[in-house]
Amino acid sequence: MAKRLRVGLLTGGGDAPGLNAVIRSVTKSLILRHDAEVIGFEDGFLGLITQRIRQLSYEDVSGILTRGGTILGTNNKANPFKFYKRGGADVSAQVIAYARSLGLDGLIAVGGDGTMSISNRLHEMGLPIVGVPKTIDNDLMATERTFGFDTAVSIVTEALDRLHTTAQSHQRVMIVETMGRYAGWIALHAGVAGGADLILIPEFEVDLDEVVRVVKNRESFGRSFTIIVIAEGTRLQGGALSVERTLDDSPDPIRLGGIGRVLQVELESRIKSEVRTTILGHVQRGGTPTPYDRILATSFGSYAADLVSRGEYGRMVALQSGRMTSVPLAEVADRVRLVPVESSTVQAALAVGTSFGVPELTVRFDPSQAAEA
Ligand code: F6P
């Protein structure tokens, strides 16, 4: 009798809505279509290093599609090549030996750029791995979407809708700081969906004079409130990144945050209107995934299961031109996908008069002229 396929599964890095939908999809499709056994590792690579596993049955993953977080747990510090609990030691060889001792045919690693980089190195050392792209930041190479992003954009958009009404009532400038690390995808998409007046993202260095000009220009046309979305990785011209904390035991030690308040202080000294800042933080990663993320996570999960069943390792599942495909992990590892200026979303925002805080990119508009025309 042929040996049953035995597949490991872990969720690594920061959590994102849709992780449970992937766990469900991978497990159900491996059991139903490939009669496989699924072994879950607890807390991402930490479970692989510290040998904590849990068998996943069909029943274990029933009813979790809509649930936020991950039933397996996750960890964004555990790197087998630099393990923080053992003084930064390289424990990758032990990890591979452990995976082999479990009789695993392959491992599915769900995560962001850190997880894909680790997976690529482990694959190069002989561990058969398939990656599934997760992150609210949407900054992974070779896939036009990661799951979690759509939910984060919905949450920020709802916040913008709510802040609009209070900004209008009090005639205030409202700054909303989003996550996204070094990429501005969340701020860009939510800013467009929520009709922000200014969208400030890391890809474009912000000219403060331009921000002030936009706010004052709106005031001069009787629009005495302004909504500004700013991504956490944005820099004001001549300024530095806003680092909220540094975690020495993390492979990616910098945690960004606080640029909204920096902007607030700068604006308060230059304009008359009151300025308030809302930092949305981890609320962007919590709660139930949107229908889009549930569908994407389910599609990614079953596609990953198919790759494993065909023995196609060293690849990450990806969405390209709206279709499921896969790309070599090496194409994704150690790279970040940033917003290009020619992005159709950037161009659409510019077309409706949104400013990116960059004078050369701003379409100047005088509503009184338009009314007369
Ligand atoms: O990568 C996802 C993300 O939420 C980023 O947007 C953010 O910068 C970072 O993780 C926050 O990390 P932590 O959960 O460690 O505070």
Side-chain angles (χ1 to χ4, degrees):
M1 213 174 84
K3 175 189 165 296
R4 257 180 109 191
L5 193 64
R6 202 160 203 239
V7 182
L9 174 63
L10 64 83
T11 56
D15 71 340
L19 279 168
N20 282 325
V22 176
I23 293 171
R24 169 182 176 270
S25 174
V26 163
T27 306
K28 285 194 170 182
S29 46
L30 278 172
I31 292 172
L32 289 178
R33 293 167 81 174
H34 308 292
D35 188 31
E37 237 184 310
V38 185
I39 307 292
F41 292 90
E42 294 179 354
D43 304 332
F45 284 109
L46 190 60
L48 192 57
I49 300 169
T50 57
Q51 310 194 345
R52 283 183 291 115
I53 58 172
R54 192 195 311 172
Q55 178 125 15
L56 289 174
S57 69
Y58 191 91
E59 287 69 35
D60 288 332
V61 299
S62 289
I64 64 169
L65 172 65
T66 62
R67 218 195 288 172
T70 158
I71 60 163
L72 284 175
T74 188
N75 181 294
N76 59 6
K77 294 179 188 165
N79 178 351
F81 295 94
K82 207 176 168 203
F83 185 39
Y84 67 106
K85 289 195 173 180
R86 287 197 210 134
D90 182 345
V91 295
S92 54
Q94 290 97 298
V95 155
I96 290 176
Y98 176 56
R100 288 199 178 124
S101 75
L102 292 173
L104 293 186
D105 295 288
L107 173 68
I108 295 178
V110 188
D113 63 338
T115 302
M116 293 311 138
S117 302
I118 292 169
S119 299
N120 183 48
R121 289 181 70 182
L122 290 174
H123 176 256
E124 282 170 354
M125 290 173 70
L127 191 68
I129 300 198
V130 164
V132 177
K134 161 245 63 165
T135 167
I136 63 164
D137 305 334
N138 200 38
D139 62 351
L140 280 190
M141 290 303 284
T143 183
E144 56 208 29
R145 278 286 179 281
T146 55
F147 73 85
F149 172 66
D150 187 67
T151 308
V153 169
S154 300
I155 292 166
V156 179
T157 304
E158 191 194 337
L160 288 176
D161 292 349
R162 291 178 185 280
L163 288 165
H164 246 105
T165 61
T166 169
Q168 204 159 11
S169 309
H170 286 268
Q171 308 183 351
R172 283 175 173 156
V173 173
M174 287 291 192
I175 298 171
V176 181
E177 180 181 311
T178 70
M179 283 186 161
R181 293 201 310 167
Y182 304 102
W185 294 105
I186 299 175
L188 172 64
H189 281 241
V192 170
D197 305 298
L198 284 136
I199 300 174
L200 309 179
I201 59 176
E203 288 81 353
F204 309 135
E205 203 175 51
V206 174
D207 180 339
L208 207 53
D209 291 339
E210 177 62 11
V211 177
V212 172
R213 189 197 66 75
V214 172
V215 174
K216 287 190 172 166
N217 192 46
R218 285 178 58 76
E219 282 171 358
S220 71
F221 294 119
R223 289 169 186 165
S224 44
F225 73 96
T226 299
I227 301 288
I228 305 176
V229 184
I230 186 163
E232 63 182 2
T234 305
R235 275 173 301 117
L236 305 185
Q237 208 166 50
L241 275 175
S242 265
V243 176
E244 199 241 331
R245 68 184 66 204
T246 306
L247 303 174
D248 291 332
D249 53 2
S250 171
D252 180 11
I254 290 178
R255 293 294 179 274
L256 298 169
I259 189 64
R261 294 227 189 278
V262 173
L263 178 63
Q264 174 176 347
V265 171
E266 292 288 347
L267 286 182
E268 276 170 342
S269 64
R270 294 172 190 230
I271 59 173
K272 284 196 221 80
S273 307
E274 277 187 60
V275 188
R276 293 286 195 275
T277 302
T278 304
I279 301 176
L280 293 173
H282 291 85
V283 74
Q284 293 160 94
R285 286 195 346 214
T288 187
T290 58
Y292 179 90
D293 275 338
R294 294 178 200 184
I295 295 166
L296 187 63
T298 303
S299 307
F300 276 163
S302 64
Y303 202 89
D306 286 347
L307 286 181
V308 167
S309 73
R310 293 199 298 269
E312 289 182 36
Y313 293 109
R315 304 190 71 78
M316 183 189 81
V317 176
L319 185 75
Q320 291 184 351
S321 306
R323 297 169 74 94
M324 284 292 138
T325 183
S326 71
V327 295
L329 279 168
E331 254 181 50
V332 186
D334 306 314
R335 295 169 73 195
V336 175
R337 191 171 72 94
L338 300 177
V339 176
V341 69
E342 62 277 9
S343 139
S344 56
T345 315
V346 170
Q347 293 305 318
L350 288 169
V352 297
T354 308
S355 170
F356 286 87
V358 181
E360 309 84 73
L361 284 182
T362 302
V363 178
R364 307 253 162 157
F365 174 65
D366 177 347
S368 62
Q369 300 291 315
E372 281 161 24

